[in-house]
């Protein structure tokens, strides 16, 4: 969180992008979209042994905008995440990334000519259209209540961002709650969060819908979470109406 704040202070209060805008897993300079290079992470995590972003910090992590402020591989992974991978010709190796960033904090990197740089976008997802993508520190209207990082469960990290589906937030309608990204529950059915004002906390989940069994969820799919008040908490901690 300190690195995230320092980056913004050094860049006229501009927030680092929470995600690349294009489907590309790799270091800066390879996607064809220069704005992707300013995303906090370009790692699209999976269990593919050929994907170096899973295990090699020099491949992507150390080339990203926050690295000059962090310079520590260890802070990117929750110690309770014990996932591993076996690189080609190598031995069993721990994966290096558990943390994901709230997509509404910085947004997707813009993809010209569809998007106008430099502001981050909502990726043109309909459920996000009515909600704020925060692009500057000065625009944060509830920093103590909006999270930036969380420890995400290892089987669904994918794009290194966490995007909460806002359907049912305003007006409140729990019957249409959904999740497409799933939070971690390493800490006795709880998840670690850090917020835009710098404080951190552990939040305990109440509903099993928030925590489907490992290996039963495919990244990119959607879980029906009707009545799941964990979703209401995530929505309120993610963004605000425009």
């Amino acid at each position: 969180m300190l690195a995230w704040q320092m980056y913004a202070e050094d860049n006229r209060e501009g927030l680092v992008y929470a995600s690349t805008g294009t489907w590309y897993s790799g270091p800066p300079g390879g996607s064809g979209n220069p704005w992707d290079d300013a995303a906090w992470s370009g790692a699209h995590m999976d269990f593919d042994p050929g994907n170096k972003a899973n295990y090699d910090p020099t491949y992507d992590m150390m080339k990203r905008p926050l690295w000059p402020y962090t310079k520590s591989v260890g802070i990117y992974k929750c110690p309770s995440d014990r996932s591993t991978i076996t690189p080609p010709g190598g031995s069993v190796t721990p994966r290096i990334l558990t943390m994901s960033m709230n997509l509404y904090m910085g947004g997707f990197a813009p993809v010209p000519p569809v998007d106008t740089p430099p502001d981050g976008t909502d990726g043109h997802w309909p459920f996000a259209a009515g909600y704020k993508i925060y692009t500057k520190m000065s625009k944060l209207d509830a920093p103590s209540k909006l999270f930036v990082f969380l420890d995400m469960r290892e089987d669904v990290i994918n794009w290194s961002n966490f995007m909460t589906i806002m359907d049912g937030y305003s007006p409140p309608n729990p019957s249409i709650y959904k999740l497409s990204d799933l939070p971690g529950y390493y800490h006795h059915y709880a998840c670690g969060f850090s917020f835009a004002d710098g404080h951190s906390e552990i939040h305990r989940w109440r509903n099993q819908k928030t925590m489907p069994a490992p290996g039963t969820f495919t990244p990119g799919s959607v879980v029906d979470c009707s009545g799941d008040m964990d979703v209401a908490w995530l929505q309120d901690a993610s963004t605000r109406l425009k």
Side-chain angles (χ1 to χ4, degrees):
M1 278 305 304
L2 182 59
W4 180 81
Q5 292 173 326
M6 292 172 68
Y7 172 89
E9 290 168 0
D10 285 347
N11 288 276
R12 300 180 180 181
E13 296 194 344
L15 301 186
V16 66
Y17 298 132
S19 177
T20 58
T22 53
W23 175 257
Y24 167 73
S25 183
S31 74
N33 175 20
W35 295 98
D36 284 342
D37 298 354
W40 89 280
S41 171
H44 294 178
M45 299 288 287
D46 53 29
F47 289 89
D48 177 3
N51 180 4
K52 292 183 179 180
N54 286 314
Y55 60 87
D56 183 356
T58 68
Y59 181 66
D60 181 75
M61 182 183 289
M62 291 182 177
K63 297 175 181 177
R64 288 289 161 178
L66 295 189
W67 182 257
Y69 304 92
T70 58
K71 296 183 179 179
S72 171
V73 175
I75 66 172
Y76 288 76
K77 184 171 183 176
C78 174
S80 296
D81 175 358
R82 298 182 175 88
S83 62
T84 61
I85 200 159
T86 304
S91 56
V92 176
T93 304
R95 296 201 312 166
I96 60 175
L97 182 66
T98 311
M99 300 302 142
S100 282
M101 185 179 287
N102 177 3
L103 193 283
Y104 297 92
M105 290 291 176
F108 289 100
V111 182
V114 177
D115 304 314
T116 303
D119 285 348
T121 80
D122 61 12
H124 309 286
W125 290 99
F127 60 77
Y131 296 89
K132 294 181 180 180
I133 298 293
Y134 295 97
T135 59
K136 289 187 176 293
M137 292 287 286
S138 57
K139 293 183 178 181
L140 293 170
D141 42 16
S144 65
K145 297 181 179 179
L146 297 171
F147 83 91
V148 179
F149 291 102
L150 81 164
D151 48 79
M152 199 167 174
R153 49 187 281 171
E154 68 265 21
D155 57 336
V156 296
I157 296 174
N158 58 65
W159 279 48
S160 309
N161 73 65
F162 189 96
M163 193 167 192
T164 304
I165 296 177
M166 297 302 294
D167 292 351
Y169 180 70
S170 181
N173 183 359
S175 69
I176 60 172
Y177 287 163
K178 304 177 185 71
L179 286 174
S180 60
D181 288 330
L182 300 176
Y185 58 97
Y186 298 108
H187 311 290
H188 193 53
Y189 307 113
C191 181
F193 287 87
S194 55
F195 288 76
D197 69 339
H199 88 276
S200 298
E201 62 185 64
I202 296 288
H203 182 79
R204 189 161 190 252
W205 306 120
R206 306 290 181 180
N207 196 307
Q208 191 59 43
K209 290 181 180 179
T210 315
M211 305 173 285
T216 62
F217 178 78
T218 302
S221 58
V222 176
V223 176
D224 178 3
C225 292
S226 175
D228 183 355
M229 297 313 292
D230 292 335
V231 176
W233 186 91
L234 278 167
Q235 290 177 335
D236 199 54
S238 294
T239 185
R240 294 290 182 271
L241 285 165
K242 289 181 178 177

